[in-house]
Amino acid sequence: MNYKSTSVKKSFAAKMLKCFLPLTIALTVLLSSVSAYAVSISARGAFVLDSETGEALFVHNPDTPVPPASMTKILSLYVIYSHLADGSLTKDTQIPVGRALANYSRDPGYSNVYLDAGASYSVDELLGAICVVSANAAVMAIGDYLCGSEANFVAEMNNWLSVWGVNGYFVDCTGVSSGNKISPRGMATVANRLINDYPDVLNYTSLTFLNFHGYTYYPTNKMLPGGAYEYEGADGLKTGTTSAAGCCFTGTTVRNGKRLVSVVMGESSTNMRYVDTIKMMDYSWDLLSSRATNGQTYFDSTPKDYIVATDLRCFINDWEIPTFIHYGTEETNYQDCAVVMLRDLKDYGFDVTYDLATDTVTIVNNVDKDLTAGPNYGEQSQYDDEEKLELSDWEPANILLKNGPDDPGVYAERTFDINGSGAISIDELWHMGTVVWNEKYNITVVVTRY
C-alpha cells in the first residue's frame, strides 16, 4: 500500500471543532451510567487537573519524564516571580543585555525578540516577550541578572522541583536542550503553582499581541481570543516545540471562577496539540458538570506506537522531503522522531539499494548525483495528522548509511517498516553531514553536500 498525506489539512477554529467533535468521536456509556464520549488523543503524555483541588480529571501516561521544550519557561517564570515577591526584583528593574545575548536574540533558529547590545530592558517588557513570544534571550537575560549565570538560575528551578516533589530535572532555562525532562503531571503541577502563587502572570499569557520596541508579535498560543483554536475561557499558558519534544502545550481555562490546567506532550503537529487539548478540556468541563451523577477521571490507554503525518518540516540539501513523526515507546524512552521514507531519499542525492541475502538497505551519500526532488516535491501543504500509518509486525531491514562509496558506514538504529516500505529517523542522517533543528520555524535542515 502506498501511504501518502493527501487529506486536506483541518483549518476550522475551535468553535466549529466543538460543534462537530461529538459527531466524530465515539460515544460510550460508562458503568456508572454517566454518558460521556470516549476521548482518544495522540499525545505521548497528557494531564488535566482541577486548579483548586489538584484533582486529576484526565490522564494519559502522566508520570514519564520527557522533554518539555519551551514549556520549560513556565518554571523559569516561577523563579522570576519568586524574586519579584521577595523584593530582589521589580517590574521596573532594568536588565542589561550584552553582545552575546544580543546576537543570540537575532539567531533565526530560536524564538526571540530583538535585543540590542548595551541596552537595558525593564522586567515588565521582558515578561511580555517571554509569555507571548517565548523569547529565549529575554529569560536568559533575567536569569543572568538574578543569579550571575544560567547554570545558577537553573539550579533555582530544580530546587523548586525538589521542594514540590515534582518528577523532573532541567539543564537550561529556555527548553532548547533535550536534557530537560518532566512528566505531564509534573508540568501541570508547576503551571498550577505559577498561576495560584502568582496570578499576575495571566496578565501576560492572555495577551493577544505584543508591541516590543517597534515590532508587533503575536502569541504562539492559538486558543486565545482571535486564535485559530479560540476556546471559551482560555487565558494562557505556554507552547513548546523541538524535534525531541514534539509539539507540546500547557493550557489553562477558567469558567465561572473554576480553572482547569491541561498539558499535552509529544504531539505530532502544532494543530494537534490544540485539537487534543480541546478534547480533554471539553471532557473535563463536562465531567465537572456531571459530578452530581458520579463522574470519574478518564484514563486514555490507547497504544501510541504509530506513525502519523506532521506539519514539522524537513529539508535535505535545500529541498523539502515528505515527513512523518513516530511516537516514541518505552523502549526508546518515549522519544519522538521525524521520519522519512527510504524510497524518497533517492531524489535527494542518495543511492539506495537493497540486498536480499542480507536483508540490508544501503544508502550512500552521492555528492555527484543530481537532485531530482524539486522545490515543491515534499511540501507538506496537505496532510491528515490523525490518520495513522500502519507499522508492520515484522522487523525492519538493516539500514547501512555510507558517506560516500568508500565509507564502511554505520547501521541506523531508529528504523521502521510501514507495510513493507522502509523508513528512517531523520536524525540518523548525521553520519552523512549536518542535521540542524530550527525551533522558530519547526524545521529540520539536513546538509550532506557543501
Side-chain angles (χ1 to χ4, degrees):
M1 184 177 297
N2 185 19
Y3 291 92
K4 292 186 177 179
S5 302
T6 56
S7 299
V8 177
K9 180 179 179 180
K10 306 165 195 63
S11 60
F12 46 80
K15 290 181 180 178
M16 293 299 292
L17 179 66
K18 186 172 177 64
C19 292
F20 289 114
L21 207 67
L23 301 177
T24 57
I25 59 178
L27 295 179
T28 187
V29 177
L30 302 178
L31 293 178
S32 63
S33 78
V34 178
S35 178
Y37 44 80
V39 184
S40 178
I41 62 171
S42 60
R44 182 195 309 174
F47 199 83
V48 179
L49 61 76
D50 181 320
S51 179
E52 181 181 3
T53 66
E55 178 188 5
L57 302 175
F58 182 103
V59 298
H60 167 65
N61 193 23
D63 297 313
T64 300
V66 293
S70 286
M71 295 193 307
T72 295
K73 296 184 181 77
I74 296 174
L75 183 51
S76 300
L77 285 165
Y78 191 94
V79 174
I80 293 170
Y81 266 97
S82 71
H83 282 272
L84 288 169
D86 69 18
S88 58
L89 194 68
T90 72
K91 287 191 178 181
D92 294 325
T93 300
Q94 295 295 304
I95 306 297
V97 173
R99 184 167 300 279
L101 269 184
N103 290 340
Y104 179 77
S105 76
R106 285 165 168 75
D107 188 327
Y110 299 99
S111 297
N112 273 309
V113 296
Y114 290 157
L115 303 177
D116 295 326
S120 294
Y121 301 85
S122 71
V123 170
D124 177 61
E125 57 188 344
L126 292 179
L127 282 173
I130 296 167
C131 294
V132 176
V133 190
S134 191
N136 288 347
V139 70
M140 293 168 70
I142 297 179
D144 287 348
Y145 177 87
L146 287 173
C147 302
S149 69
E150 182 177 14
N152 291 338
F153 185 73
V154 172
E156 284 200 28
M157 295 166 59
N158 287 319
N159 182 64
W160 281 112
L161 294 183
S162 178
V163 169
W164 298 328
V166 168
N167 186 12
Y169 183 78
F170 291 86
V171 298
D172 72 20
C173 64
T174 61
V176 171
S177 173
S178 61
N180 293 343
K181 298 290 177 64
I182 193 168
S183 66
R185 187 193 304 272
M187 195 75 257
T189 300
V190 172
N192 199 41
R193 292 302 300 249
L194 175 63
I195 292 168
N196 284 325
D197 292 352
Y198 306 114
D200 177 71
V201 73
L202 297 171
N203 292 320
Y204 297 98
T205 64
S206 60
L207 291 173
T208 56
F209 68 92
L210 175 73
N211 290 321
F212 189 94
H213 291 262
Y215 294 90
T216 300
Y217 299 89
Y218 296 93
T220 56
N221 180 359
K222 304 306 180 185
M223 288 179 62
L224 293 174
Y229 293 89
E230 180 178 347
Y231 190 78
E232 180 186 352
D235 56 3
L237 192 61
K238 191 72 194 69
T239 59
T241 307
T242 65
S243 57
C247 297
C248 308
F249 179 55
T250 296
T252 182
T253 59
V254 61
R255 296 179 183 177
N256 299 319
K258 189 73 169 176
R259 180 174 294 279
L260 301 182
V261 176
S262 66
V263 175
V264 290
M265 304 179 76
E267 291 280 12
S268 63
S269 66
T270 53
N271 68 306
M272 278 307 298
R273 60 184 165 197
Y274 302 118
V275 171
D276 280 350
T277 295
I278 289 170
K279 287 181 182 180
M280 299 190 310
M281 284 287 192
D282 281 350
Y283 173 85
S284 298
W285 285 119
D286 289 347
L287 171 62
L288 291 175
S289 67
S290 69
R291 275 295 162 81
T293 50
N294 301 317
Q296 60 185 12
T297 301
Y298 189 87
F299 293 85
D300 177 28
S301 57
T302 308
K304 295 297 186 288
D305 185 18
Y306 54 77
I307 289 176
V308 294
T310 178
D311 62 354
L312 301 178
R313 304 169 68 187
C314 293
F315 292 79
I316 298 179
N317 296 322
D318 292 334
W319 302 129
E320 186 168 2
I321 186 169
T323 307
F324 307 89
I325 194 165
H326 175 255
Y327 285 110
T329 61
E330 184 175 2
E331 289 72 21
T332 60
N333 197 27
Y334 295 98
Q335 292 287 311
D336 297 342
C337 64
V339 173
V340 296
M341 305 300 292
L342 299 184
R343 61 173 178 257
D344 289 330
L345 290 175
K346 67 182 185 299
D347 294 314
Y348 293 81
F350 302 93
D351 294 324
V352 182
T353 59
Y354 175 68
D355 181 64
L356 180 62
T358 60
D359 190 27
T360 299
V361 176
T362 300
I363 302 173
V364 180
N365 180 27
N366 184 348
V367 296
D368 297 320
K369 185 176 184 179
D370 290 337
L371 301 177
T372 57
N376 300 313
Y377 178 83
E379 186 175 356
Q380 299 284 87
S381 59
Q382 294 182 329
Y383 65 92
D384 183 351
D385 47 16
E386 291 188 281
E387 182 177 355
K388 301 175 181 64
L389 280 68
E390 180 181 350
L391 286 170
S392 305
D393 292 333
W394 54 80
E395 288 293 319
N398 302 309
I399 299 178
L400 179 64
L401 304 172
K402 302 178 65 175
N403 191 21
D406 298 326
D407 179 19
V410 298
Y411 284 96
E413 297 181 0
R414 300 200 69 177
T415 62
F416 310 92
D417 192 292
I418 305 173
N419 199 32
S421 296
I424 187 173
S425 165
I426 196 75
D427 295 325
E428 295 285 354
L429 299 183
W430 67 266
H431 182 68
M432 313 247 196
T434 303
V435 180
V436 177
W437 165 253
N438 185 304
E439 175 199 20
K440 183 175 182 179
Y441 296 105
N442 295 341
I443 64 173
T444 297
V445 176
V446 180
V447 180
T448 65
R449 50 179 67 185
Y450 302 92

